[in-house]
């Protein structure tokens, strides 16, 4: 009798072991590999979100430092146009013709360095226009060629930045739509300042403090 009970217990143990082995997932099975792949992709996505958050925080910190420096200096105030603005002398400027994109447009390159806001005032008061806006690479190349008339490495164009971090917006002083950008490497995310310059070598754009004094291009 005892021998029968021992034999029965051995049989039950063997059946349980076989069941557990068949029920456990194998690493080499297609189902398990798919689960591992999904877990890996999920962890990678989370790491990417963290990296993005760090970049936004860092960029926001830079803009916070520059906000006080550029506060109120990027946008032209209509009331400021009534102030007495001394127009540049003829020998300080170069008259530039319009191009195929706008044959009735005219441009004037002003060699005398001015702050962004003062440059915009001169364009409005003296030439009834605005700092130049750029909407394609061909025109960017033309403005770059004009800008080489100065010994400065950068000139003002009409782009400026409003807001901070994720609320940041790029705008033109003439109110036209922002539909083109030709940024230098690392720009605009790692740049500083709320006004935009064009590099006279290469034509790339950079952010800069609006209080810098640079030559500029007016469009009218």
């Amino acid at each position: 009798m005892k021998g029968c009970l021992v034999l029965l217990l051995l049989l039950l143990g063997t059946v349980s072991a076989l069941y557990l082995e068949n029920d456990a997932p194998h690493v080499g099975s297609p189902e398990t590999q798919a689960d591992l792949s999904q877990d890996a992709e999920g962890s990678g996505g989370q790491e990417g979100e963290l990296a993005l958050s760090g970049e936004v925080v860092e960029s926001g910190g830079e803009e916070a430092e520059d906000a006080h420096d550029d506060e109120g200096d990027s946008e032209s105030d209509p009331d400021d146009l009534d102030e007495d603005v001394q127009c540049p002398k003829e020998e300080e400027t170069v008259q530039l013709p319009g191009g195929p994109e706008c044959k009735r447009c005219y441009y004037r390159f002003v060699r005398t360095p001015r702050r962004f806001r003062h440059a915009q005032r001169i364009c409005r008061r003296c030439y009834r226009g605005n700092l130049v806006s750029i909407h394609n690479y061909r025109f960017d190349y033309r403005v770059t060629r004009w800008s080489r008339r100065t010994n400065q490495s950068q000139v003002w164009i009409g782009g400026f930045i409003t807001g901070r971090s994720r609320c940041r917006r790029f705008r033109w002083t003439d109110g036209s739509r922002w539909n083109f950008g030709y940024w230098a490497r690392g720009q605009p995310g790692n740049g500083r300042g709320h006004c935009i310059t064009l590099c006279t070598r290469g034509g790339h754009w950079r952010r800069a403090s609006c209080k810098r004094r640079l030559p500029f291009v007016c469009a009218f």
Side-chain angles (χ1 to χ4, degrees):
M1 185 67 181
K2 291 181 178 180
C4 293
L5 289 173
V6 171
L7 181 61
L8 181 59
L9 291 172
L10 289 173
L11 288 172
L12 288 173
T14 303
V15 170
S16 299
L18 289 172
Y19 176 78
L20 291 174
E21 182 180 358
N22 291 332
D23 188 62
H26 295 280
V27 174
S29 65
E31 293 80 7
T32 306
Q33 289 180 349
D35 292 339
L36 291 174
S37 176
Q38 290 177 359
D39 291 342
E41 291 176 2
S43 62
Q46 186 177 6
E47 183 179 356
E49 291 176 3
L50 292 174
L52 179 60
S53 299
E55 182 179 351
V56 170
V57 170
E58 181 180 357
S59 176
E62 288 179 356
E63 290 200 28
E65 292 178 3
D66 294 328
H68 179 72
D69 181 48
D70 283 354
E71 185 177 4
D73 215 35
S74 58
E75 298 186 59
S76 59
D77 188 344
D79 294 335
D80 291 336
L81 299 178
D82 294 333
E83 294 182 1
D84 185 22
V85 175
Q86 185 175 359
C87 296
K89 298 178 180 178
E90 191 70 24
E91 57 269 22
E92 297 174 349
T93 69
V94 178
Q95 178 76 34
L96 305 165
E101 67 280 350
C102 184
K103 295 181 178 180
R104 295 184 179 181
C105 298
Y106 292 92
Y107 308 93
R108 189 173 290 270
F109 178 72
V110 182
R111 294 192 179 98
T112 308
R114 292 286 186 268
R115 293 181 178 182
F116 182 90
R117 195 171 186 177
H118 193 185
Q120 171 65 9
R121 290 178 192 167
I122 290 175
C123 292
R124 291 286 298 275
R125 187 64 179 268
C126 302
Y127 308 115
R128 301 300 178 185
N130 294 278
L131 285 168
V132 67
S133 61
I134 301 175
H135 300 279
N136 57 67
Y137 174 76
R138 179 179 294 181
F139 187 61
D140 183 88
Y141 177 73
R142 291 185 63 204
V143 176
T144 303
R145 290 185 62 187
W146 297 338
S147 303
R148 290 174 184 169
R149 300 170 183 265
T150 179
N151 57 1
Q152 299 275 356
S153 61
Q154 299 177 50
V155 298
W156 288 128
I157 56 177
F160 63 97
I161 302 170
T162 60
R164 305 178 187 176
S165 298
R166 295 181 180 178
C167 296
R168 185 171 59 196
R169 294 291 181 270
F170 299 93
R171 299 173 59 187
W172 293 109
T173 54
D174 62 6
S176 58
R177 187 165 64 95
W178 188 279
N179 57 1
F180 175 77
Y182 194 50
W183 298 101
R185 180 174 299 180
Q187 298 282 331
N190 296 330
R192 305 185 66 176
H194 286 70
C195 295
I196 298 173
T197 67
L198 178 142
C199 299
T200 56
R201 301 297 178 187
H204 296 94
W205 303 356
R206 290 184 176 277
R207 292 172 58 182
S209 169
C210 301
K211 296 184 182 297
R212 287 185 61 184
R213 296 178 183 272
L214 295 171
F216 53 97
V217 180
C218 297
F220 53 95

PDB file of all heavy atoms in Angstrom, residues 175-210:
ATOM      1  N   GLY A 175       5.514  92.922 -40.513  1.00  0.00           N
ATOM      2  CA  GLY A 175       4.277  92.189 -40.301  1.00  0.00           C
ATOM      3  C   GLY A 175       4.050  91.040 -41.255  1.00  0.00           C
ATOM      4  O   GLY A 175       3.006  90.378 -41.185  1.00  0.00           O
ATOM      5  N   SER A 176       4.989  90.759 -42.148  1.00  0.00           N
ATOM      6  CA  SER A 176       4.818  89.659 -43.097  1.00  0.00           C
ATOM      7  C   SER A 176       4.954  88.311 -42.390  1.00  0.00           C
ATOM      8  O   SER A 176       5.466  88.222 -41.276  1.00  0.00           O
ATOM      9  CB  SER A 176       5.836  89.768 -44.239  1.00  0.00           C
ATOM     10  OG  SER A 176       7.164  89.757 -43.735  1.00  0.00           O
ATOM     11  N   ARG A 177       4.498  87.261 -43.068  1.00  0.00           N
ATOM     12  CA  ARG A 177       4.472  85.921 -42.468  1.00  0.00           C
ATOM     13  C   ARG A 177       5.875  85.349 -42.350  1.00  0.00           C
ATOM     14  O   ARG A 177       6.693  85.508 -43.250  1.00  0.00           O
ATOM     15  CB  ARG A 177       3.597  84.992 -43.322  1.00  0.00           C
ATOM     16  CG  ARG A 177       3.352  83.614 -42.694  1.00  0.00           C
ATOM     17  CD  ARG A 177       2.207  82.925 -43.412  1.00  0.00           C
ATOM     18  NE  ARG A 177       2.546  82.666 -44.800  1.00  0.00           N
ATOM     19  CZ  ARG A 177       3.051  81.513 -45.241  1.00  0.00           C
ATOM     20  NH1 ARG A 177       3.278  80.527 -44.395  1.00  0.00           N
ATOM     21  NH2 ARG A 177       3.321  81.343 -46.520  1.00  0.00           N
ATOM     22  N   TRP A 178       6.140  84.665 -41.253  1.00  0.00           N
ATOM     23  CA  TRP A 178       7.445  84.015 -41.047  1.00  0.00           C
ATOM     24  C   TRP A 178       7.390  82.642 -41.715  1.00  0.00           C
ATOM     25  O   TRP A 178       6.814  81.697 -41.181  1.00  0.00           O
ATOM     26  CB  TRP A 178       7.740  83.880 -39.558  1.00  0.00           C
ATOM     27  CG  TRP A 178       9.136  83.402 -39.298  1.00  0.00           C
ATOM     28  CD1 TRP A 178       9.575  82.109 -39.345  1.00  0.00           C
ATOM     29  CD2 TRP A 178      10.280  84.202 -38.995  1.00  0.00           C
ATOM     30  NE1 TRP A 178      10.926  82.054 -39.087  1.00  0.00           N
ATOM     31  CE2 TRP A 178      11.385  83.326 -38.865  1.00  0.00           C
ATOM     32  CE3 TRP A 178      10.477  85.562 -38.815  1.00  0.00           C
ATOM     33  CZ2 TRP A 178      12.672  83.783 -38.556  1.00  0.00           C
ATOM     34  CZ3 TRP A 178      11.751  86.013 -38.508  1.00  0.00           C
ATOM     35  CH2 TRP A 178      12.828  85.131 -38.374  1.00  0.00           C
ATOM     36  N   ASN A 179       7.979  82.515 -42.889  1.00  0.00           N
ATOM     37  CA  ASN A 179       7.900  81.260 -43.637  1.00  0.00           C
ATOM     38  C   ASN A 179       9.262  80.760 -44.111  1.00  0.00           C
ATOM     39  O   ASN A 179       9.332  79.861 -44.956  1.00  0.00           O
ATOM     40  CB  ASN A 179       6.976  81.440 -44.852  1.00  0.00           C
ATOM     41  CG  ASN A 179       7.433  82.568 -45.768  1.00  0.00           C
ATOM     42  OD1 ASN A 179       8.452  83.222 -45.518  1.00  0.00           O
ATOM     43  ND2 ASN A 179       6.681  82.808 -46.833  1.00  0.00           N
ATOM     44  N   PHE A 180      10.347  81.326 -43.577  1.00  0.00           N
ATOM     45  CA  PHE A 180      11.685  80.939 -44.021  1.00  0.00           C
ATOM     46  C   PHE A 180      12.680  81.265 -42.924  1.00  0.00           C
ATOM     47  O   PHE A 180      12.500  82.225 -42.168  1.00  0.00           O
ATOM     48  CB  PHE A 180      12.053  81.699 -45.305  1.00  0.00           C
ATOM     49  CG  PHE A 180      13.471  81.461 -45.783  1.00  0.00           C
ATOM     50  CD1 PHE A 180      13.815  80.290 -46.434  1.00  0.00           C
ATOM     51  CD2 PHE A 180      14.454  82.414 -45.570  1.00  0.00           C
ATOM     52  CE1 PHE A 180      15.117  80.066 -46.859  1.00  0.00           C
ATOM     53  CE2 PHE A 180      15.752  82.208 -45.991  1.00  0.00           C
ATOM     54  CZ  PHE A 180      16.086  81.027 -46.644  1.00  0.00           C
ATOM     55  N   GLY A 181      13.712  80.437 -42.817  1.00  0.00           N
ATOM     56  CA  GLY A 181      14.792  80.692 -41.870  1.00  0.00           C
ATOM     57  C   GLY A 181      16.087  80.091 -42.393  1.00  0.00           C
ATOM     58  O   GLY A 181      16.077  79.023 -42.998  1.00  0.00           O
ATOM     59  N   TYR A 182      17.183  80.775 -42.173  1.00  0.00           N
ATOM     60  CA  TYR A 182      18.487  80.294 -42.642  1.00  0.00           C
ATOM     61  C   TYR A 182      19.479  80.438 -41.486  1.00  0.00           C
ATOM     62  O   TYR A 182      20.387  81.263 -41.522  1.00  0.00           O
ATOM     63  CB  TYR A 182      18.932  81.081 -43.875  1.00  0.00           C
ATOM     64  CG  TYR A 182      20.090  80.451 -44.626  1.00  0.00           C
ATOM     65  CD1 TYR A 182      20.058  79.119 -44.993  1.00  0.00           C
ATOM     66  CD2 TYR A 182      21.212  81.201 -44.971  1.00  0.00           C
ATOM     67  CE1 TYR A 182      21.115  78.537 -45.680  1.00  0.00           C
ATOM     68  CE2 TYR A 182      22.269  80.638 -45.664  1.00  0.00           C
ATOM     69  CZ  TYR A 182      22.213  79.307 -46.015  1.00  0.00           C
ATOM     70  OH  TYR A 182      23.267  78.731 -46.688  1.00  0.00           O
ATOM     71  N   TRP A 183      19.282  79.596 -40.461  1.00  0.00           N
ATOM     72  CA  TRP A 183      20.009  79.733 -39.213  1.00  0.00           C
ATOM     73  C   TRP A 183      21.399  79.127 -39.278  1.00  0.00           C
ATOM     74  O   TRP A 183      21.615  78.110 -39.933  1.00  0.00           O
ATOM     75  CB  TRP A 183      19.224  79.072 -38.088  1.00  0.00           C
ATOM     76  CG  TRP A 183      17.897  79.691 -37.840  1.00  0.00           C
ATOM     77  CD1 TRP A 183      16.682  79.240 -38.240  1.00  0.00           C
ATOM     78  CD2 TRP A 183      17.649  80.909 -37.128  1.00  0.00           C
ATOM     79  NE1 TRP A 183      15.684  80.092 -37.829  1.00  0.00           N
ATOM     80  CE2 TRP A 183      16.252  81.119 -37.137  1.00  0.00           C
ATOM     81  CE3 TRP A 183      18.477  81.834 -36.479  1.00  0.00           C
ATOM     82  CZ2 TRP A 183      15.661  82.217 -36.529  1.00  0.00           C
ATOM     83  CZ3 TRP A 183      17.882  82.924 -35.865  1.00  0.00           C
ATOM     84  CH2 TRP A 183      16.497  83.114 -35.890  1.00  0.00           C
ATOM     85  N   ALA A 184      22.325  79.741 -38.568  1.00  0.00           N
ATOM     86  CA  ALA A 184      23.655  79.172 -38.391  1.00  0.00           C
ATOM     87  C   ALA A 184      23.548  77.954 -37.476  1.00  0.00           C
ATOM     88  O   ALA A 184      22.535  77.746 -36.800  1.00  0.00           O
ATOM     89  CB  ALA A 184      24.606  80.214 -37.793  1.00  0.00           C
ATOM     90  N   ARG A 185      24.591  77.145 -37.443  1.00  0.00           N
ATOM     91  CA  ARG A 185      24.583  75.932 -36.633  1.00  0.00           C
ATOM     92  C   ARG A 185      24.402  76.293 -35.155  1.00  0.00           C
ATOM     93  O   ARG A 185      25.039  77.190 -34.627  1.00  0.00           O
ATOM     94  CB  ARG A 185      25.892  75.165 -36.821  1.00  0.00           C
ATOM     95  CG  ARG A 185      25.979  73.886 -36.005  1.00  0.00           C
ATOM     96  CD  ARG A 185      27.231  73.110 -36.344  1.00  0.00           C
ATOM     97  NE  ARG A 185      27.257  72.710 -37.737  1.00  0.00           N
ATOM     98  CZ  ARG A 185      28.264  72.015 -38.287  1.00  0.00           C
ATOM     99  NH1 ARG A 185      29.327  71.693 -37.569  1.00  0.00           N
ATOM    100  NH2 ARG A 185      28.211  71.676 -39.569  1.00  0.00           N
ATOM    101  N   GLY A 186      23.499  75.563 -34.496  1.00  0.00           N
ATOM    102  CA  GLY A 186      23.203  75.817 -33.091  1.00  0.00           C
ATOM    103  C   GLY A 186      22.175  76.897 -32.851  1.00  0.00           C
ATOM    104  O   GLY A 186      21.733  77.090 -31.721  1.00  0.00           O
ATOM    105  N   GLN A 187      21.778  77.595 -33.908  1.00  0.00           N
ATOM    106  CA  GLN A 187      20.792  78.661 -33.798  1.00  0.00           C
ATOM    107  C   GLN A 187      19.420  78.142 -34.262  1.00  0.00           C
ATOM    108  O   GLN A 187      19.355  77.230 -35.069  1.00  0.00           O
ATOM    109  CB  GLN A 187      21.206  79.837 -34.688  1.00  0.00           C
ATOM    110  CG  GLN A 187      22.524  80.467 -34.322  1.00  0.00           C
ATOM    111  CD  GLN A 187      22.424  81.381 -33.128  1.00  0.00           C
ATOM    112  OE1 GLN A 187      21.378  81.972 -32.868  1.00  0.00           O
ATOM    113  NE2 GLN A 187      23.500  81.486 -32.373  1.00  0.00           N
ATOM    114  N   PRO A 188      18.327  78.675 -33.780  1.00  0.00           N
ATOM    115  CA  PRO A 188      18.246  79.731 -32.774  1.00  0.00           C
ATOM    116  C   PRO A 188      18.213  79.206 -31.338  1.00  0.00           C
ATOM    117  O   PRO A 188      18.245  79.979 -30.398  1.00  0.00           O
ATOM    118  CB  PRO A 188      16.926  80.403 -33.114  1.00  0.00           C
ATOM    119  CG  PRO A 188      16.066  79.277 -33.615  1.00  0.00           C
ATOM    120  CD  PRO A 188      17.005  78.366 -34.378  1.00  0.00           C
ATOM    121  N   GLY A 189      18.142  77.856 -31.170  1.00  0.00           N
ATOM    122  CA  GLY A 189      17.957  77.284 -29.849  1.00  0.00           C
ATOM    123  C   GLY A 189      19.036  77.645 -28.859  1.00  0.00           C
ATOM    124  O   GLY A 189      18.760  77.936 -27.698  1.00  0.00           O
ATOM    125  N   ASN A 190      20.287  77.646 -29.304  1.00  0.00           N
ATOM    126  CA  ASN A 190      21.395  77.945 -28.406  1.00  0.00           C
ATOM    127  C   ASN A 190      21.846  79.400 -28.494  1.00  0.00           C
ATOM    128  O   ASN A 190      22.872  79.761 -27.921  1.00  0.00           O
ATOM    129  CB  ASN A 190      22.584  77.027 -28.713  1.00  0.00           C
ATOM    130  CG  ASN A 190      22.251  75.568 -28.437  1.00  0.00           C
ATOM    131  OD1 ASN A 190      21.450  75.261 -27.569  1.00  0.00           O
ATOM    132  ND2 ASN A 190      22.849  74.665 -29.194  1.00  0.00           N
ATOM    133  N   GLY A 191      21.105  80.207 -29.231  1.00  0.00           N
ATOM    134  CA  GLY A 191      21.469  81.612 -29.363  1.00  0.00           C
ATOM    135  C   GLY A 191      20.982  82.429 -28.178  1.00  0.00           C
ATOM    136  O   GLY A 191      20.209  81.962 -27.344  1.00  0.00           O
ATOM    137  N   ARG A 192      21.438  83.678 -28.132  1.00  0.00           N
ATOM    138  CA  ARG A 192      21.033  84.586 -27.061  1.00  0.00           C
ATOM    139  C   ARG A 192      20.642  85.921 -27.668  1.00  0.00           C
ATOM    140  O   ARG A 192      21.240  86.374 -28.625  1.00  0.00           O
ATOM    141  CB  ARG A 192      22.174  84.756 -26.065  1.00  0.00           C
ATOM    142  CG  ARG A 192      22.688  83.445 -25.498  1.00  0.00           C
ATOM    143  CD  ARG A 192      23.722  83.648 -24.425  1.00  0.00           C
ATOM    144  NE  ARG A 192      23.164  84.290 -23.243  1.00  0.00           N
ATOM    145  CZ  ARG A 192      23.847  84.502 -22.131  1.00  0.00           C
ATOM    146  NH1 ARG A 192      25.113  84.156 -22.050  1.00  0.00           N
ATOM    147  NH2 ARG A 192      23.268  85.086 -21.095  1.00  0.00           N
ATOM    148  N   GLY A 193      19.642  86.543 -27.111  1.00  0.00           N
ATOM    149  CA  GLY A 193      19.158  87.803 -27.635  1.00  0.00           C
ATOM    150  C   GLY A 193      17.835  87.631 -28.352  1.00  0.00           C
ATOM    151  O   GLY A 193      17.455  86.532 -28.748  1.00  0.00           O
ATOM    152  N   HIS A 194      17.110  88.723 -28.536  1.00  0.00           N
ATOM    153  CA  HIS A 194      15.777  88.687 -29.122  1.00  0.00           C
ATOM    154  C   HIS A 194      15.691  89.345 -30.500  1.00  0.00           C
ATOM    155  O   HIS A 194      14.600  89.482 -31.038  1.00  0.00           O
ATOM    156  CB  HIS A 194      14.786  89.355 -28.165  1.00  0.00           C
ATOM    157  CG  HIS A 194      14.465  88.516 -26.966  1.00  0.00           C
ATOM    158  ND1 HIS A 194      15.385  88.269 -25.970  1.00  0.00           N
ATOM    159  CD2 HIS A 194      13.339  87.850 -26.605  1.00  0.00           C
ATOM    160  CE1 HIS A 194      14.841  87.504 -25.039  1.00  0.00           C
ATOM    161  NE2 HIS A 194      13.598  87.236 -25.409  1.00  0.00           N
ATOM    162  N   CYS A 195      16.807  89.752 -31.050  1.00  0.00           N
ATOM    163  CA  CYS A 195      16.822  90.313 -32.401  1.00  0.00           C
ATOM    164  C   CYS A 195      17.724  89.454 -33.284  1.00  0.00           C
ATOM    165  O   CYS A 195      18.559  88.704 -32.780  1.00  0.00           O
ATOM    166  CB  CYS A 195      17.297  91.763 -32.371  1.00  0.00           C
ATOM    167  SG  CYS A 195      16.164  92.862 -31.474  1.00  0.00           S
ATOM    168  N   ILE A 196      17.543  89.562 -34.592  1.00  0.00           N
ATOM    169  CA  ILE A 196      18.185  88.624 -35.518  1.00  0.00           C
ATOM    170  C   ILE A 196      19.109  89.367 -36.471  1.00  0.00           C
ATOM    171  O   ILE A 196      18.736  90.389 -37.055  1.00  0.00           O
ATOM    172  CB  ILE A 196      17.114  87.840 -36.298  1.00  0.00           C
ATOM    173  CG1 ILE A 196      16.263  87.022 -35.307  1.00  0.00           C
ATOM    174  CG2 ILE A 196      17.753  86.923 -37.331  1.00  0.00           C
ATOM    175  CD1 ILE A 196      15.073  86.350 -35.929  1.00  0.00           C
ATOM    176  N   THR A 197      20.310  88.822 -36.616  1.00  0.00           N
ATOM    177  CA  THR A 197      21.302  89.381 -37.525  1.00  0.00           C
ATOM    178  C   THR A 197      21.565  88.422 -38.678  1.00  0.00           C
ATOM    179  O   THR A 197      21.296  87.218 -38.590  1.00  0.00           O
ATOM    180  CB  THR A 197      22.637  89.636 -36.803  1.00  0.00           C
ATOM    181  OG1 THR A 197      23.217  88.378 -36.420  1.00  0.00           O
ATOM    182  CG2 THR A 197      22.429  90.487 -35.567  1.00  0.00           C
ATOM    183  N   LEU A 198      22.098  88.969 -39.754  1.00  0.00           N
ATOM    184  CA  LEU A 198      22.556  88.177 -40.893  1.00  0.00           C
ATOM    185  C   LEU A 198      24.077  88.274 -40.963  1.00  0.00           C
ATOM    186  O   LEU A 198      24.626  89.380 -40.893  1.00  0.00           O
ATOM    187  CB  LEU A 198      21.915  88.689 -42.180  1.00  0.00           C
ATOM    188  CG  LEU A 198      22.326  87.983 -43.483  1.00  0.00           C
ATOM    189  CD1 LEU A 198      21.130  87.842 -44.416  1.00  0.00           C
ATOM    190  CD2 LEU A 198      23.429  88.761 -44.201  1.00  0.00           C
ATOM    191  N   CYS A 199      24.740  87.129 -41.063  1.00  0.00           N
ATOM    192  CA  CYS A 199      26.200  87.109 -41.151  1.00  0.00           C
ATOM    193  C   CYS A 199      26.626  87.483 -42.569  1.00  0.00           C
ATOM    194  O   CYS A 199      26.099  86.935 -43.545  1.00  0.00           O
ATOM    195  CB  CYS A 199      26.744  85.728 -40.790  1.00  0.00           C
ATOM    196  SG  CYS A 199      26.346  85.197 -39.118  1.00  0.00           S
ATOM    197  N   THR A 200      27.559  88.403 -42.663  1.00  0.00           N
ATOM    198  CA  THR A 200      27.981  88.877 -43.981  1.00  0.00           C
ATOM    199  C   THR A 200      28.816  87.836 -44.730  1.00  0.00           C
ATOM    200  O   THR A 200      29.048  87.979 -45.914  1.00  0.00           O
ATOM    201  CB  THR A 200      28.798  90.177 -43.843  1.00  0.00           C
ATOM    202  OG1 THR A 200      29.907  89.945 -42.967  1.00  0.00           O
ATOM    203  CG2 THR A 200      27.945  91.281 -43.259  1.00  0.00           C
ATOM    204  N   ARG A 201      29.264  86.794 -44.050  1.00  0.00           N
ATOM    205  CA  ARG A 201      29.968  85.685 -44.690  1.00  0.00           C
ATOM    206  C   ARG A 201      29.133  84.429 -44.543  1.00  0.00           C
ATOM    207  O   ARG A 201      29.063  83.824 -43.488  1.00  0.00           O
ATOM    208  CB  ARG A 201      31.352  85.462 -44.057  1.00  0.00           C
ATOM    209  CG  ARG A 201      32.268  86.668 -44.131  1.00  0.00           C
ATOM    210  CD  ARG A 201      32.599  87.041 -45.554  1.00  0.00           C
ATOM    211  NE  ARG A 201      33.447  88.244 -45.633  1.00  0.00           N
ATOM    212  CZ  ARG A 201      33.757  88.845 -46.779  1.00  0.00           C
ATOM    213  NH1 ARG A 201      33.288  88.387 -47.923  1.00  0.00           N
ATOM    214  NH2 ARG A 201      34.513  89.924 -46.764  1.00  0.00           N
ATOM    215  N   GLY A 202      28.443  84.075 -45.593  1.00  0.00           N
ATOM    216  CA  GLY A 202      27.621  82.866 -45.551  1.00  0.00           C
ATOM    217  C   GLY A 202      26.131  83.120 -45.505  1.00  0.00           C
ATOM    218  O   GLY A 202      25.343  82.269 -45.901  1.00  0.00           O
ATOM    219  N   GLY A 203      25.719  84.288 -45.022  1.00  0.00           N
ATOM    220  CA  GLY A 203      24.304  84.633 -45.027  1.00  0.00           C
ATOM    221  C   GLY A 203      23.467  83.962 -43.960  1.00  0.00           C
ATOM    222  O   GLY A 203      22.238  84.056 -43.994  1.00  0.00           O
ATOM    223  N   HIS A 204      24.093  83.263 -43.000  1.00  0.00           N
ATOM    224  CA  HIS A 204      23.323  82.610 -41.956  1.00  0.00           C
ATOM    225  C   HIS A 204      22.836  83.624 -40.923  1.00  0.00           C
ATOM    226  O   HIS A 204      23.405  84.696 -40.770  1.00  0.00           O
ATOM    227  CB  HIS A 204      24.165  81.532 -41.263  1.00  0.00           C
ATOM    228  CG  HIS A 204      24.553  80.403 -42.167  1.00  0.00           C
ATOM    229  ND1 HIS A 204      25.749  80.375 -42.849  1.00  0.00           N
ATOM    230  CD2 HIS A 204      23.895  79.265 -42.504  1.00  0.00           C
ATOM    231  CE1 HIS A 204      25.823  79.266 -43.571  1.00  0.00           C
ATOM    232  NE2 HIS A 204      24.709  78.589 -43.389  1.00  0.00           N
ATOM    233  N   TRP A 205      21.799  83.229 -40.204  1.00  0.00           N
ATOM    234  CA  TRP A 205      21.185  84.108 -39.222  1.00  0.00           C
ATOM    235  C   TRP A 205      21.619  83.726 -37.816  1.00  0.00           C
ATOM    236  O   TRP A 205      21.826  82.553 -37.504  1.00  0.00           O
ATOM    237  CB  TRP A 205      19.666  84.039 -39.295  1.00  0.00           C
ATOM    238  CG  TRP A 205      19.096  84.369 -40.637  1.00  0.00           C
ATOM    239  CD1 TRP A 205      19.765  84.794 -41.751  1.00  0.00           C
ATOM    240  CD2 TRP A 205      17.724  84.288 -41.019  1.00  0.00           C
ATOM    241  NE1 TRP A 205      18.908  84.990 -42.797  1.00  0.00           N
ATOM    242  CE2 TRP A 205      17.639  84.678 -42.367  1.00  0.00           C
ATOM    243  CE3 TRP A 205      16.563  83.916 -40.357  1.00  0.00           C
ATOM    244  CZ2 TRP A 205      16.433  84.710 -43.062  1.00  0.00           C
ATOM    245  CZ3 TRP A 205      15.360  83.943 -41.032  1.00  0.00           C
ATOM    246  CH2 TRP A 205      15.300  84.348 -42.374  1.00  0.00           C
ATOM    247  N   ARG A 206      21.690  84.732 -36.955  1.00  0.00           N
ATOM    248  CA  ARG A 206      22.023  84.521 -35.551  1.00  0.00           C
ATOM    249  C   ARG A 206      21.163  85.419 -34.661  1.00  0.00           C
ATOM    250  O   ARG A 206      20.797  86.522 -35.070  1.00  0.00           O
ATOM    251  CB  ARG A 206      23.504  84.831 -35.276  1.00  0.00           C
ATOM    252  CG  ARG A 206      24.470  83.836 -35.887  1.00  0.00           C
ATOM    253  CD  ARG A 206      25.904  84.147 -35.483  1.00  0.00           C
ATOM    254  NE  ARG A 206      26.819  83.154 -35.971  1.00  0.00           N
ATOM    255  CZ  ARG A 206      27.077  81.993 -35.366  1.00  0.00           C
ATOM    256  NH1 ARG A 206      26.500  81.724 -34.208  1.00  0.00           N
ATOM    257  NH2 ARG A 206      27.912  81.135 -35.885  1.00  0.00           N
ATOM    258  N   ARG A 207      20.892  84.935 -33.480  1.00  0.00           N
ATOM    259  CA  ARG A 207      20.263  85.780 -32.476  1.00  0.00           C
ATOM    260  C   ARG A 207      21.316  86.681 -31.852  1.00  0.00           C
ATOM    261  O   ARG A 207      22.469  86.290 -31.689  1.00  0.00           O
ATOM    262  CB  ARG A 207      19.622  84.905 -31.403  1.00  0.00           C
ATOM    263  CG  ARG A 207      18.430  84.120 -31.896  1.00  0.00           C
ATOM    264  CD  ARG A 207      17.951  83.128 -30.851  1.00  0.00           C
ATOM    265  NE  ARG A 207      17.594  83.786 -29.599  1.00  0.00           N
ATOM    266  CZ  ARG A 207      17.183  83.126 -28.515  1.00  0.00           C
ATOM    267  NH1 ARG A 207      17.128  81.808 -28.538  1.00  0.00           N
ATOM    268  NH2 ARG A 207      16.861  83.784 -27.422  1.00  0.00           N
ATOM    269  N   ALA A 208      20.902  87.887 -31.500  1.00  0.00           N
ATOM    270  CA  ALA A 208      21.835  88.846 -30.900  1.00  0.00           C
ATOM    271  C   ALA A 208      21.075  89.785 -29.992  1.00  0.00           C
ATOM    272  O   ALA A 208      19.853  89.963 -30.119  1.00  0.00           O
ATOM    273  CB  ALA A 208      22.561  89.637 -31.995  1.00  0.00           C
ATOM    274  N   SER A 209      21.791  90.396 -29.065  1.00  0.00           N
ATOM    275  CA  SER A 209      21.189  91.404 -28.205  1.00  0.00           C
ATOM    276  C   SER A 209      20.736  92.586 -29.055  1.00  0.00           C
ATOM    277  O   SER A 209      21.487  93.081 -29.907  1.00  0.00           O
ATOM    278  CB  SER A 209      22.197  91.874 -27.152  1.00  0.00           C
ATOM    279  OG  SER A 209      21.711  93.017 -26.478  1.00  0.00           O
ATOM    280  N   CYS A 210      19.528  93.041 -28.827  1.00  0.00           N
ATOM    281  CA  CYS A 210      18.983  94.155 -29.605  1.00  0.00           C
ATOM    282  C   CYS A 210      19.724  95.458 -29.348  1.00  0.00           C
ATOM    283  O   CYS A 210      19.545  96.429 -30.088  1.00  0.00           O
ATOM    284  CB  CYS A 210      17.501  94.338 -29.278  1.00  0.00           C
ATOM    285  SG  CYS A 210      16.487  92.883 -29.607  1.00  0.00           S
TER     286      CYS A 210
END
